[in-house]
Amino acid sequence: MGKIIAIANQKGGVGKTTTSVNLAASLGVLEKKVLLIDADPQANASSGLGIDVESVEIGSYQVLEHSATPDEATVACTAPNVSVIPAHIDLVAIEIELVDKENREYMLKTALESVKDKYDYILIDCAPSLGLLTLNALTAADSVVIPIQCEYFALEGLGKLLNTIKSVQKIHNPNLDIEGLLLTMYDSRLRLSNQVVEEVQKHFNDMVFETVIQRNIKLSEAPSFGESIINYDATSKGASNYLNLAEEIIKKNQ
């Protein structure tokens, strides 16, 4: 039975897509079968794994509106053992289209029933908002990874996201767990980075992953080549950070 993990934070630029792509690739390298669902209209997770977004005809949009099955929407990508359900800019319209649908929060959950057993992990890269798309992801997921950047406004908005998760647990998905808070963009030379790490660990203790994702130039370069950090530079700090995270998640779920 595959585990569905949403990667969510309504703040943009915290490393959601970087985490989705590189965690998927790291789990793949560790011989897990992974499906990555791009649920962000910007489609960066798709292009970050070498998929030509313009040519996507069937993707997460069709899966969400149930006009295609996940199998029909799945494509191969540059990362071993990883398949992708890509996104397209059309996904922007899905919020409006789902509004009148019955069970609109369960569209993704229902769609994924048919493939849950085929993968070890299904990762969902969420849009930077708390709209219907993210709600669908949280309702479908078993757990959520929350990336938090080690910067001044790091904890701003986190309360809002945790409240959203609480209300999803209450109304739509009582089994939703927090897989962990992931500190990203860490720079050991900055006092601020260290303060944020301390503060988050103090507030959230065991909820915080041991792995911290460091600032790494290779991590920012890899997407422009359509590759994960593992393919782009397996010896980089970014690659070893994400492999550690994948190992931590596997260990936690054994």
Side-chain angles (χ1 to χ4, degrees):
M1 189 70 152
K3 179 162 197 183
I4 302 176
I5 302 177
I7 291 137
N9 189 331
Q10 77 275 27
K11 268 180 74 126
V14 295
K16 269 193 306 293
T17 300
T18 303
T19 296
S20 304
V21 165
N22 294 309
L23 176 57
S26 301
L27 288 165
V29 164
L30 296 170
E31 298 187 347
K32 298 293 176 191
K33 201 169 177 218
V34 183
L35 175 65
L36 174 60
I37 300 169
D38 194 344
D40 181 351
Q42 295 173 61
N44 292 339
S46 309
S47 59
L49 283 171
I51 292 160
D52 174 13
V53 178
E54 293 305 311
S55 65
V56 169
E57 283 175 19
I58 303 176
S60 47
Y61 176 85
Q62 285 75 15
V63 171
L64 269 156
E65 59 160 26
H66 294 181
S67 63
T69 65
D71 278 338
E72 289 167 336
T74 300
V75 295
C77 70
T78 52
N81 291 327
V82 179
S83 305
V84 181
I85 294 181
H88 187 273
I89 191 70
D90 287 358
L91 198 54
V92 168
I94 199 85
E95 306 251 337
I96 300 153
E97 290 179 23
L98 290 183
V99 158
D100 307 329
K101 287 251 164 82
E102 226 181 301
N103 294 333
R104 57 189 183 188
E105 297 91 352
Y106 297 93
M107 298 297 276
L108 187 57
K109 185 183 174 70
T110 311
L112 292 180
E113 301 279 309
S114 64
V115 292
K116 205 172 170 181
D117 293 342
K118 293 184 181 178
Y119 298 93
D120 297 308
Y121 290 95
I122 297 176
L123 304 183
I124 308 171
D125 184 30
C126 295
S129 74
L130 292 177
L132 205 45
L133 260 177
T134 300
L135 195 53
N136 259 278
L138 293 174
T139 302
D142 298 307
S143 67
V144 55
V145 167
I146 304 170
I148 300 169
Q149 71 201 106
C150 296
E151 285 176 10
Y152 186 64
F153 291 115
L155 296 177
E156 197 187 60
L158 186 58
K160 203 171 172 185
L161 177 61
L162 293 172
N163 284 338
T164 301
I165 290 169
K166 267 197 195 119
S167 71
V168 170
Q169 287 166 329
K170 211 149 86 193
I171 305 163
H172 305 296
N173 183 0
N175 302 321
L176 181 65
D177 269 335
I178 291 178
E179 190 75 28
L181 305 179
L182 176 67
L183 290 156
T184 61
M185 303 179 195
Y186 172 72
D187 186 340
S188 57
R189 297 164 304 182
L190 298 180
R191 208 170 90 216
L192 178 63
S193 265
N194 292 305
Q195 282 171 339
V196 171
V197 171
E198 273 172 40
E199 199 176 331
V200 172
Q201 286 171 340
K202 192 174 81 192
H203 278 288
F204 298 102
N205 314 332
D206 300 346
M207 279 165 72
V208 187
F209 284 111
E210 277 174 36
T211 305
V212 174
I213 308 297
Q214 290 160 294
R215 262 196 192 287
N216 178 247
I217 192 82
K218 298 281 189 199
L219 268 181
S220 355
E221 288 173 2
S224 60
F225 293 90
E227 291 185 337
S228 74
I229 189 65
I230 310 292
N231 277 21
Y232 181 63
D233 186 350
T235 61
S236 67
K237 209 178 270 180
S240 83
N241 287 168
Y242 277 109
L243 280 166
N244 287 344
L245 176 66
E247 282 170 353
E248 203 176 326
I249 286 175
I250 290 168
K251 205 164 140 192
K252 199 173 167 183
N253 288 293
Q254 269 167 351

